[in-house]
Amino acid sequence: MSRGIHLALHPYGVGGPGQHGLWKDPRVAKNASIDIGYYIRQAQAAEHALFDALFIVDSQFINATYPAHYLNRLEPLTLLSAVATHTRHIGLVGTASSTYNSPFNLARRFASLDLISGGRAGWNVVTSFDTGTSRNFGLDEHLDYATRYGRALEFVQVARGLWDSYEDDAFPADVERGVFLDPRRLHALDHVGEHFRVAGPLNVSRSPQGQPVIFQAGVSAEGRDLAARVAEGVYAPGGTLEQAREYYADVKRRAAAHGRDPEHLKVFLHGGPVVAATDARARRREREIFEEDNDFDRNLALLGRSFGAYDFGVHDLDAPFPDVAHLAEKGGRTGAAQIIRRAREQELTLRQVVESVAAFRESPFVGSPTTVADTIEEWFAAGTLDGINLAFRTDDDLELFVDGVVPLLRERGLFRTAYEADTLRGHLGLPVPANRHTRVRERAGG
Amino acid sequence: MSRGIHLALHPYGVGGPGQHGLWKDPRVAKNASIDIGYYIRQAQAAEHALFDALFIVDSQFINATYPAHYLNRLEPLTLLSAVATHTRHIGLVGTASSTYNSPFNLARRFASLDLISGGRAGWNVVTSFDTGTSRNFGLDEHLDYATRYGRALEFVQVARGLWDSYEDDAFPADVERGVFLDPRRLHALDHVGEHFRVAGPLNVSRSPQGQPVIFQAGVSAEGRDLAARVAEGVYAPGGTLEQAREYYADVKRRAAAHGRDPEHLKVFLHGGPVVAATDARARRREREIFEEDNDFDRNLALLGRSFGAYDFGVHDLDAPFPDVAHLAEKGGRTGAAQIIRRAREQELTLRQVVESVAAFRESPFVGSPTTVADTIEEWFAAGTLDGINLAFRTDDDLELFVDGVVPLLRERGLFRTAYEADTLRGHLGLPVPANRHTRVRERAGG
Ligand SMILES: Cc1cc2nc3c(=O)[nH]c(=O)nc-3n(C[C@H](O)[C@H](O)[C@H](O)COP(=O)(O)O)c2cc1C
Ligand SMILES: Cc1cc2nc3c(=O)[nH]c(=O)nc-3n(C[C@H](O)[C@H](O)[C@H](O)COP(=O)(O)O)c2cc1C
């Protein structure tokens, strides 16, 4: 089944970008995003459907224009640790910034989650999208692009080194000999690099999956390359089938170029399916959602987010899209550069750009259960995805997918009928990394 | 009952300082310190006994000479978040360093724990005892004393500012008016200080107790002063009745000098009670434990920990205690300075110092249930404590205390017979701090 499709659940809470009005839905609890019970129920529903993982995105910056879910939400690892003890199989992926954390602390927190969950932790490494984050961490300016990505790579390398501090047989706990720890199985790291100096060792041992699974979500060449070098899952930007295929082929090729097995880098597409009894009803529902949530002023403010919290309100909405190329360049902002390119090619006004960016969030997975299953199968066969990160507006929408679409995927042999593993690596068909010190020792015949 | 004694449980796991041999006890699971089930059961047992809090200590540095529990243990907030959803009343206090964290991240994690637990979070602020911690965070040297304590004070002030980002009525979530957030109730912090610049706002709202409770554990004048200025609970160093009384009076006096109500700073003494059917049996048990755990080499290594990871192994054990005053001065190490003073006054050898430091850890609470209850009552009446942080070797020892001593304390009106509150502040009789922005607004008649 590791050749099947992987499914993760991305909870929307009271609603993120493109979901500004979600909190108004009477089925959505107004405190969902800060209610641990909401997350536990989401995880349990996803586990009941045999999903691979719960996937929690995050940021460390807000202002009053941000979507409801962003304004007030639980820190991902605190959240996932609570969820861990109320689930038994599902993977638990949390987003954390490599720009605004230190490796020892973050490695320790993920290692702890990995032990608490029995080997189900994953870390979605981001370099922090929101420019304003820097001012919450004593910096006037967001670290520049190259620094952010250089730091991210070294951060993951350090975390992995710390996670191998103890070999798996480090604790004989032999009462007769009076030996709790075998000190030869404890290893300092003594890392000295461009961004970090970390002596180690870490005071947490390995879980049944060896190390947490590394995810990454980056669009640029640097982001793709980071994913290709160190990630085992990637949260892909999506887009059209053609764009998704290009992205998929590109990151797999990059992984191979780094000497890795491309099968060990799983590409997850974002999917906000809209399922209804018939295709016509699903499309009607999609239009309703779009109109309901299409708050122009919010979308204008959020467009600025992609350009480093730029205020587009100062420009004429019906004049040609303003020249903001310097903002995209300065931040190395790939998404922003794409928007500028499209605006120029299609000669769009600022108003048209805001509207088209909102429309861009539409999902390919809209229709009756059969249509959605067909589309997923088609996109899978076309080489665009290994998995889908599914976001649902309400529990009803989750249920429509789980009861309508998932059984069809099962019938077609595309999704598991039972958990075959207890760890996230197991679900994803990823190998358990051997401890580096054990490997060296065994190679030396020690 | 806020005039009664407060009881917290400090889990020993597989054994900390002075408990080197605990892991050998057949009743102690070899993986207790990394088993979330162990902590959940400890918390549930403590909650069943109506204790005020579970108290988790921590450090971010180890080497192979450290006690078993320190070598491999879960990160406190990840741990407590999992415990939160399996308990309903008990407070959850986690230790975290103000030296090796950043305020935005740590404030967010404690705010999340506070929401997940429904207002039961506490933060034990430490400046990191272990000198070697610095090398896990890119620094060759531990920050010096004044910097550590200056940073700690400003850190708590920033965290409290961030915790007040949202006023309690910030989210009308009014569907008819289409207003989720009232932006006038969201406040940036814009803190610029000596150690931190933090813009805010925090993306987490307040819990039913307003803000997490601040604990502190420091011995020096600087430590006491930090406690007196910002702490609501203090984990006191203990010692003889006379020393404990002096400490208690001193921190209360300091709190009053800072314009605070001394009742709002609760002093917790460390207590590792040894309870048995008779006084003689309890004393025998205490001697057994002492001899069993009295590993001289370990204690020698741990003595070095108090002097900034100094290796006393280079000195003659039977010569007078070496001149290491410069180490105590350099780190501003109060505990170390006390040891030096005592060694000089009593003309002790190094060997005698190692032995006396181990003996210093003895508990005053040893005897039959009646004797232990009497002693607690006596120490309480003598003005040495508002609460006790209780550490037990095994579940049997916890049970002996809960079934034997706690009912006697209840009979004497010294401990609650039911929870009267659902928050940690409620248990401790601490006021819920009004949001600073609401206060200003209401004062202005807004
Ligand atoms: C599907 C997806 C999910 C993302 N989730 C997050 C997130 O949770 N937090 C965050 O700071 N950034 C997130 N990002 C942003 C990326 O980390 C990255 O900064 C952004 O995609 C720009 O790519 P680049 O940095 O490679 O140019 C996400 C990106 C994508 C495509
Ligand atoms: C009862 C007690 C518990 C403590 N717990 C911790 C702890 O969990 N982690 C830590 O780094 N330091 C801990 N400390 C150390 C203090 O933070 C402090 O560094 C030490 O007591 C020296 O005091 P001073 O810094 O005021 O000189 C504890 C101290 C005491 C007295």
Side-chain angles (χ1 to χ4, degrees):
Chain A
M1 195 76 280
S2 71
R3 304 303 320 248
I5 294 177
H6 302 285
L7 297 179
L9 179 64
H10 168 157
Y12 265 160
V14 290
Q19 309 284 341
H20 291 297
L22 182 53
W23 63 270
K24 294 181 206 162
D25 191 305
R27 294 167 295 184
V28 175
K30 305 293 174 261
N31 69 339
S33 300
I34 55 166
D35 175 14
I36 194 65
Y38 161 78
Y39 293 101
I40 291 172
R41 287 189 299 273
Q42 290 274 305
Q44 287 175 336
E47 180 164 277
H48 187 72
L50 311 179
F51 280 20
D52 296 74
L54 186 75
F55 199 107
I56 306 292
V57 298
D58 195 43
S59 94
Q60 298 142 295
F61 171 82
I62 52 161
N63 63 42
T65 70
Y66 270 48
H69 177 60
Y70 285 28
L71 291 174
N72 191 14
R73 56 176 160 178
L74 300 173
E75 187 276 326
L77 274 93
T78 326
L79 184 170
L80 289 172
S81 177
V83 168
T85 58
H86 295 274
T87 52
R88 293 183 52 192
H89 290 95
I90 195 163
L92 303 167
V93 185
T95 297
S97 173
S98 55
T99 307
Y100 301 109
N101 274 293
S102 53
F104 190 92
N105 281 341
L106 197 65
R108 179 140 182 258
R109 291 164 61 206
F110 273 107
S112 298
L113 177 64
D114 213 22
L115 284 177
I116 289 170
S117 63
R120 296 185 280 135
W123 170 24
N124 180 35
V125 182
V126 298
T127 66
S128 286
F129 184 69
D130 284 305
T131 308
T133 313
S134 66
R135 292 196 306 279
N136 288 331
F137 293 87
L139 296 174
D140 291 326
E141 294 266 351
H142 199 31
L143 293 184
D144 70 46
Y145 212 71
T147 308
R148 285 211 312 279
Y149 274 97
R151 192 179 149 104
L153 175 63
E154 193 178 324
F155 199 124
V156 172
Q157 289 164 341
V158 171
R160 284 184 167 158
L162 290 171
W163 287 332
D164 275 355
S165 293
Y166 285 112
E167 296 186 59
D168 293 342
D169 56 357
F171 296 102
D174 183 329
V175 176
E176 292 200 355
R177 288 191 298 133
V179 175
F180 185 74
L181 165 72
D182 177 351
R184 294 165 307 172
R185 301 290 182 263
L186 169 62
H187 303 275
L189 182 63
D190 291 324
H191 172 88
V192 177
E194 192 182 336
H195 302 278
F196 303 108
R197 285 183 302 143
V198 183
L202 190 69
N203 49 352
V204 186
S205 60
R206 285 162 47 113
S207 85
Q209 71 172 348
Q211 295 190 346
V213 178
I214 300 288
F215 283 76
Q216 209 274 333
V219 182
S220 60
E222 288 87 343
R224 294 175 186 209
D225 221 57
L226 175 65
R229 289 175 78 158
V230 298
E232 300 165 280
V234 60
Y235 198 169
T240 64
L241 187 130
E242 206 33 69
Q243 288 167 330
R245 185 155 41 194
E246 181 278 325
Y247 180 90
Y248 185 96
D250 183 59
V251 292
K252 297 277 180 169
R253 194 181 41 69
R254 285 177 194 256
H258 284 293
R260 295 182 58 202
D261 181 345
E263 296 264 312
H264 294 165
L265 173 58
K266 304 294 180 186
V267 177
F268 281 76
L269 274 196
H270 179 80
V274 182
V275 183
T278 66
D279 287 355
R281 280 203 213 165
R283 275 195 300 273
R284 195 159 60 232
R285 177 87 190 104
E286 189 193 24
R287 246 190 333 274
E288 274 168 26
I289 295 169
F290 180 72
E291 274 150 30
E292 185 183 299
D293 278 335
N294 196 19
D295 182 326
F296 185 86
D297 292 339
R298 293 292 187 108
N299 289 335
L300 181 67
L302 277 183
L303 178 68
R305 191 179 165 223
S306 296
F307 290 79
Y310 181 69
D311 180 10
F312 279 101
V314 302
H315 295 284
D316 181 352
L317 287 172
D318 296 305
F321 190 71
D323 181 7
V324 287
H326 60 289
L327 295 174
E329 275 157 32
K330 183 175 164 226
R333 302 182 160 277
T334 333
Q338 277 167 2
I339 291 167
I340 293 171
R341 196 171 334 111
R342 197 153 38 85
R344 203 172 287 152
E345 280 168 16
Q346 303 178 18
E347 301 186 2
L348 303 177
T349 63
L350 173 55
R351 184 189 304 280
Q352 285 166 330
V353 166
V354 172
E355 283 164 357
S356 71
V357 167
F360 184 70
R361 292 210 188 83
E362 277 165 36
S363 171
F365 308 121
V366 178
S368 69
T370 308
T371 300
V372 170
D374 288 349
T375 314
I376 290 176
E377 186 169 5
E378 181 199 343
W379 280 56
F380 182 58
T384 65
L385 61 87
D386 299 310
I388 309 178
N389 225 333
L390 294 160
F392 299 98
R393 290 172 59 87
T394 68
D395 292 348
D396 290 349
D397 295 308
L398 169 59
E399 211 177 292
L400 280 167
F401 186 88
V402 167
D403 294 347
V405 180
V406 170
L408 297 176
L409 296 177
R410 287 208 177 101
E411 275 172 25
R412 302 175 191 188
L414 289 172
F415 190 63
R416 68 173 64 83
T417 53
Y419 281 118
E420 287 147 19
D422 298 317
T423 66
L424 179 53
R425 285 186 187 279
H427 303 328
L428 297 179
L430 296 169
V432 172
N435 183 296
R436 64 192 64 194
H437 307 287
T438 311
R439 215 164 47 210
V440 166
R441 194 158 46 79
E442 286 177 352
R443 216 181 281 136
Chain B
M1 196 72 283
S2 71
R3 302 302 320 247
I5 294 177
H6 301 285
L7 297 179
L9 179 64
H10 168 156
Y12 265 159
V14 290
Q19 309 284 338
H20 291 298
L22 183 52
W23 63 269
K24 294 181 206 162
D25 191 305
R27 294 166 297 182
V28 174
K30 305 293 173 263
N31 69 339
S33 299
I34 54 166
D35 175 13
I36 193 64
Y38 161 79
Y39 294 101
I40 291 172
R41 288 189 299 273
Q42 289 275 305
Q44 287 175 338
E47 180 164 277
H48 187 72
L50 310 179
F51 280 21
D52 296 75
L54 185 75
F55 199 107
I56 305 292
V57 299
D58 195 44
S59 93
Q60 297 141 295
F61 171 80
I62 52 161
N63 64 42
T65 71
Y66 271 47
H69 176 60
Y70 285 27
L71 291 173
N72 192 14
R73 56 177 160 178
L74 300 173
E75 185 277 325
L77 274 94
T78 326
L79 185 169
L80 289 172
S81 177
V83 168
T85 58
H86 295 274
T87 52
R88 292 183 52 193
H89 290 95
I90 195 164
L92 304 167
V93 184
T95 297
S97 172
S98 56
T99 307
Y100 301 109
N101 273 292
S102 54
F104 190 92
N105 281 342
L106 198 65
R108 180 142 181 256
R109 290 165 61 205
F110 273 106
S112 298
L113 177 64
D114 212 23
L115 284 177
I116 289 170
S117 62
R120 296 185 281 135
W123 170 25
N124 180 34
V125 182
V126 297
T127 67
S128 285
F129 184 68
D130 283 306
T131 308
T133 314
S134 66
R135 292 196 306 279
N136 288 331
F137 293 86
L139 297 174
D140 291 326
E141 293 267 351
H142 199 33
L143 293 184
D144 69 48
Y145 212 70
T147 309
R148 285 210 313 277
Y149 275 96
R151 193 179 149 105
L153 175 63
E154 193 179 325
F155 199 124
V156 172
Q157 288 164 340
V158 171
R160 285 185 166 157
L162 290 171
W163 287 332
D164 276 354
S165 293
Y166 285 112
E167 295 185 59
D168 292 343
D169 55 356
F171 296 102
D174 182 330
V175 176
E176 291 200 354
R177 289 191 298 132
V179 174
F180 185 73
L181 166 72
D182 177 350
R184 294 166 307 171
R185 301 289 182 264
L186 169 61
H187 303 274
L189 181 63
D190 291 324
H191 172 87
V192 178
E194 191 183 335
H195 303 278
F196 303 108
R197 285 185 301 144
V198 182
L202 190 70
N203 50 352
V204 187
S205 58
R206 285 162 47 113
S207 85
Q209 73 171 348
Q211 295 190 347
V213 178
I214 300 289
F215 284 76
Q216 208 275 332
V219 182
S220 60
E222 289 86 343
R224 294 174 186 210
D225 221 57
L226 176 65
R229 288 176 77 159
V230 298
E232 300 163 281
V234 60
Y235 198 170
T240 64
L241 187 131
E242 207 33 69
Q243 288 167 329
R245 185 157 38 195
E246 181 279 323
Y247 181 90
Y248 186 96
D250 182 60
V251 292
K252 296 276 181 169
R253 195 182 41 69
R254 286 176 195 258
H258 284 293
R260 294 182 58 201
D261 181 345
E263 296 265 312
H264 294 165
L265 173 58
K266 304 294 180 186
V267 176
F268 280 75
L269 274 197
H270 179 80
V274 182
V275 183
T278 66
D279 288 355
R281 280 203 214 165
R283 275 195 300 272
R284 195 160 58 233
R285 177 87 191 105
E286 190 194 25
R287 245 189 334 270
E288 276 169 23
I289 295 169
F290 180 73
E291 271 150 31
E292 185 184 297
D293 278 337
N294 196 19
D295 182 327
F296 186 87
D297 292 340
R298 293 292 186 108
N299 288 337
L300 182 67
L302 278 183
L303 179 67
R305 193 180 164 222
S306 296
F307 290 80
Y310 181 68
D311 181 10
F312 279 100
V314 302
H315 296 284
D316 181 352
L317 286 172
D318 296 306
F321 189 70
D323 181 8
V324 286
H326 60 290
L327 295 174
E329 274 157 32
K330 183 173 165 228
R333 301 183 161 276
T334 333
Q338 277 167 2
I339 292 168
I340 294 170
R341 196 170 334 112
R342 199 152 36 85
R344 204 172 289 153
E345 282 168 15
Q346 304 178 16
E347 300 186 5
L348 303 176
T349 63
L350 174 55
R351 185 190 303 280
Q352 287 166 327
V353 166
V354 172
E355 283 163 357
S356 71
V357 167
F360 185 71
R361 291 209 188 85
E362 277 165 35
S363 172
F365 309 121
V366 179
S368 69
T370 307
T371 300
V372 170
D374 289 348
T375 314
I376 291 175
E377 186 169 5
E378 180 201 341
W379 280 57
F380 181 58
T384 66
L385 61 87
D386 299 309
I388 309 178
N389 226 332
L390 295 160
F392 299 98
R393 289 172 60 88
T394 68
D395 292 348
D396 290 349
D397 295 308
L398 170 59
E399 213 178 291
L400 279 168
F401 186 88
V402 167
D403 295 346
V405 180
V406 171
L408 297 177
L409 297 177
R410 287 209 176 100
E411 275 171 25
R412 302 175 191 188
L414 290 172
F415 190 63
R416 68 173 65 81
T417 53
Y419 281 118
E420 287 146 18
D422 298 318
T423 65
L424 178 52
R425 283 185 188 281
H427 304 328
L428 297 178
L430 296 169
V432 173
N435 182 296
R436 65 192 63 195
H437 305 288
T438 310
R439 215 164 47 210
V440 167
R441 194 157 47 77
E442 288 178 349
R443 216 179 283 136

